[in-house]
């Protein structure tokens, strides 16, 4: 549960007490409430501020917080919004889990970013300080991004720098690509299971979703061909390298067939290349983009995964009119990513510290992945690991048939362990009970303890 959710839950609990309390009653102090609810002072203060905004309590500096008089209370009426807004596009349950990184007292066994000790923090601080002293950090860049950073991103994709669009992170890149490449009401095909953020991006763009199963070699291309015929979809979403959550890698034969099908149907392939720098036992395969000279593949990549979740820098690489349309449409959203962030990203990617960081990261992530695999195999006897990933950040675990993954994830969260509910990775009903466990944000000791707690819940 993230901090916003935690403060909201605390506010709801306090509100139930206030309803039956006499006006003018004094609430316990922040320290006392922190001890009672095992929450930080900041979380308690946020909850009290929420209750104050609703007119349920009043704060008197130096005296404390008191239950408000009845006449001062006001219950908001949001009923009109439901009618005005209409049906929601984005699944709120899936969305809340995507951004939920938990609190400091929870073990992050489902979190798609790196632990603080794995970040190149010193290098980022040094490069950031130098960039902040330069004049370019405070001047507006072209909406498509700074020329230097576009050149750096283009190199990995054998692309022209003019084909690169800098965006504030991979998630924004996915939303922007789907919204630009497809008309609202049309269909996007995704491999299944798939990254929940891509599902949300399609929903946000007003697109329908059609799922095609995948195995260890990626999407089943015969099923993809049939789905293209059935839906007339013009956008396919894929993760060719170390897919989240399954760790699958699209095989060379299927890579060729995907490109054939895209050409045959006049379709775009959105290549989510989030794990470009996260190969462990092997390098991430070359971008699918490099095998497509005709502009069918639009690549989306990010630095938030291998460098820092706070470095919200990504890129969309697209050739031809599609790329021109994306770059022209960029100003409809904003006038570009903050120049300071672009300067830091370019400085990091061109620094000798970058390959050193990636080498260290491979060793650290490999050890944590192995620790997680060992913990699952020894502690969860009824669980099965379909494949040990050769890269990425996640382990896809199949549980016994009777397990309710929603209930397990909720109970684990309440017990201090973040677990990815496998239902969120499927467009339709899941074929079996799965959970996603991640090894990038937890230490080996945390991994062992987190899996032990999951085992206790499964045995209860």
């Amino acid at each position: 549960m993230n901090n916003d959710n935690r403060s909201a839950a605390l506010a709801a609990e306090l509100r139930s007490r206030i309803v039956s309390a006499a006006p003018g009653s004094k609430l316990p102090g922040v320290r006392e409430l922190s001890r009672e609810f095992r929450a930080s002072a900041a979380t308690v203060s946020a909850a009290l501020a929420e209750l104050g905004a609703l007119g349920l309590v009043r704060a008197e500096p130096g005296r404390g917080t008191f239950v408000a008089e009845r006449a001062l209370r006001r219950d908001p009426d949001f009923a009109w919004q439901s009618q005005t807004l209409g049906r929601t596009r984005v699944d709120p349950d899936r969305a809340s889990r995507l951004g939920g990184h938990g609190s400091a007292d929870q073990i992050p066994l489902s979190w798609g970013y790196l632990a603080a000790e794995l970040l190149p923090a010193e290098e980022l601080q040094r490069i950031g300080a130098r960039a902040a002293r330069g004049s370019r950090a405070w001047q507006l860049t072209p909406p498509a991004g700074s020329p230097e950073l576009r050149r750096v991103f283009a190199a990995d994709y054998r692309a022209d720098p003019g084909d690169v669009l800098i965006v504030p992170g991979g998630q924004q890149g996915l939303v922007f690509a789907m919204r630009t490449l497809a008309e609202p009401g049309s269909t996007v095909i995704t491999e299944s299971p798939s990254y929940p953020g891509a599902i949300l991006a399609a929903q946000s763009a007003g697109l329908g979703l059609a799922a095609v199963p995948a195995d260890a070699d990626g999407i089943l291309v015969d099923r993809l061909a049939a789905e293209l015929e059935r839906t007339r979809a013009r956008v396919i979403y894929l993760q060719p390298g170390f897919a989240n959550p399954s760790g699958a890698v699209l095989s060379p034969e299927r890579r060729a067939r995907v490109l054939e099908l895209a050409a045959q149907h006049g379709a775009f392939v959105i290549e989510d290349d989030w794990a470009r720098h996260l190969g462990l036992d092997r390098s991430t395969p070359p971008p699918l983009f490099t095998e497509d000279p005709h502009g069918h593949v639009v690549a989306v990549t990010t630095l938030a995964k291998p460098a820092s979740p706070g470095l919200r820098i990504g890129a969309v690489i697209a050739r031809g009119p599609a790329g021109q349309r994306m770059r022209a449409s960029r100003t409809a959203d904003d006038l570009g990513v903050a120049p300071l962030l672009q300067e830091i990203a370019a400085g990091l990617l061109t620094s000798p510290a970058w390959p050193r960081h990636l080498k260290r990261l491979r060793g650290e992530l490999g050890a944590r992945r192995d620790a997680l695999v060992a913990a699952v195999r020894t502690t969860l006897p009824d669980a099965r690991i379909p494949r040990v990933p050769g890269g990425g950040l996640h382990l896809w675990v199949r549980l016994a048939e009777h397990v309710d993954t929603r209930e397990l994830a909720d109970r684990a969260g309440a017990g201090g362990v973040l677990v990815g509910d496998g239902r969120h990775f499927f467009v339709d009903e899941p074929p079996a009970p799965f959970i996603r466990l991640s090894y990038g944000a937890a230490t080996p000791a945390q991994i062992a303890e987190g899996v032990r707690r999951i085992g206790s819940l499964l045995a209860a």
Side-chain angles (χ1 to χ4, degrees), residues 368-440:
R368 295 181 188 214
R369 177 205 57 189
D370 294 345
L372 180 56
V373 170
V376 169
R377 286 176 171 169
T378 58
T379 311
L380 309 180
D382 293 331
R384 185 169 66 85
I385 300 172
R387 71 188 59 84
V388 176
L393 296 170
H394 310 294
L395 187 67
W396 193 227
V397 180
R398 179 169 179 165
L399 303 178
E401 290 296 331
H402 67 276
V403 176
D404 183 329
T405 57
R406 181 202 295 268
E407 180 186 6
L408 176 64
D410 289 344
R411 292 171 62 202
V417 184
L418 292 179
V419 174
D421 180 358
R423 295 178 308 107
H424 293 143
F425 299 84
F426 293 95
V427 173
D428 304 309
E429 295 81 4
F434 286 93
I435 57 173
R436 188 196 73 173
L437 302 178
S438 307
Y439 47 84

Side-chain angles (χ1 to χ4, degrees), residues 159-451:
D160 187 287
D163 295 331
V164 177
L165 172 65
I166 303 300
V167 292
Q171 183 64 30
Q172 206 276 351
L174 291 178
V175 172
F176 190 69
M178 290 190 184
R179 194 177 67 217
T180 307
L181 298 175
E183 292 293 325
S186 62
T187 298
V188 58
I189 295 175
T190 177
E191 59 198 330
S192 182
S194 189
Y195 168 51
I199 297 173
L200 294 172
Q203 291 175 337
S204 177
L207 306 178
L209 285 152
V212 173
D215 60 17
D217 292 322
I219 195 166
L220 302 181
V221 288
D222 290 341
R223 298 282 292 274
L224 173 60
E227 201 66 11
L228 283 166
E229 290 286 351
R230 185 185 73 83
T231 63
R232 305 296 180 189
R234 293 295 178 263
V235 175
I236 306 163
Y237 168 79
L238 295 178
Q239 302 172 78
F242 308 125
N244 173 11
S246 68
V249 175
L250 191 62
S251 69
E253 296 77 16
R254 293 188 190 179
R255 288 166 68 98
R257 182 62 176 144
V258 164
L259 294 178
E260 290 175 4
L261 288 170
Q264 178 183 338
H265 292 272
F268 289 101
V269 177
I270 297 178
E271 176 184 21
D272 188 349
D273 200 25
W274 70 277
R276 167 66 26 214
H277 301 290
L278 296 175
L280 303 180
D281 302 329
R282 52 180 287 194
S283 298
T284 307
L288 193 62
F289 184 94
T290 61
E291 301 174 23
D292 164 52
H294 305 299
H296 288 284
V297 178
V298 174
V300 178
T301 189
T302 178
L303 287 183
K305 302 293 187 180
S308 168
L311 189 60
R312 304 306 303 171
I313 290 286
V316 179
I317 305 112
R319 295 188 175 105
Q324 294 170 7
R325 180 174 296 189
M326 286 188 182
R327 293 183 289 277
S329 300
R330 186 75 178 94
T331 53
D333 287 354
D334 54 52
L335 294 179
V337 179
L340 177 59
L341 281 182
Q342 296 191 60
E343 288 292 303
I344 294 172
L348 177 65
L349 292 175
T350 57
S351 166
W354 180 240
R356 290 198 301 268
H357 164 66
L358 293 181
K359 182 178 180 180
R360 181 178 73 91
L361 185 60
R362 280 193 294 272
E364 292 282 354
L365 287 179
R368 295 181 188 214
R369 177 205 57 189
D370 294 345
L372 180 56
V373 170
V376 169
R377 286 176 171 169
T378 58
T379 311
L380 309 180
D382 293 331
R384 185 169 66 85
I385 300 172
R387 71 188 59 84
V388 176
L393 296 170
H394 310 294
L395 187 67
W396 193 227
V397 180
R398 179 169 179 165
L399 303 178
E401 290 296 331
H402 67 276
V403 176
D404 183 329
T405 57
R406 181 202 295 268
E407 180 186 6
L408 176 64
D410 289 344
R411 292 171 62 202
V417 184
L418 292 179
V419 174
D421 180 358
R423 295 178 308 107
H424 293 143
F425 299 84
F426 293 95
V427 173
D428 304 309
E429 295 81 4
F434 286 93
I435 57 173
R436 188 196 73 173
L437 302 178
S438 307
Y439 47 84
T443 65
Q446 287 177 316
I447 287 171
E449 174 59 19
V451 175

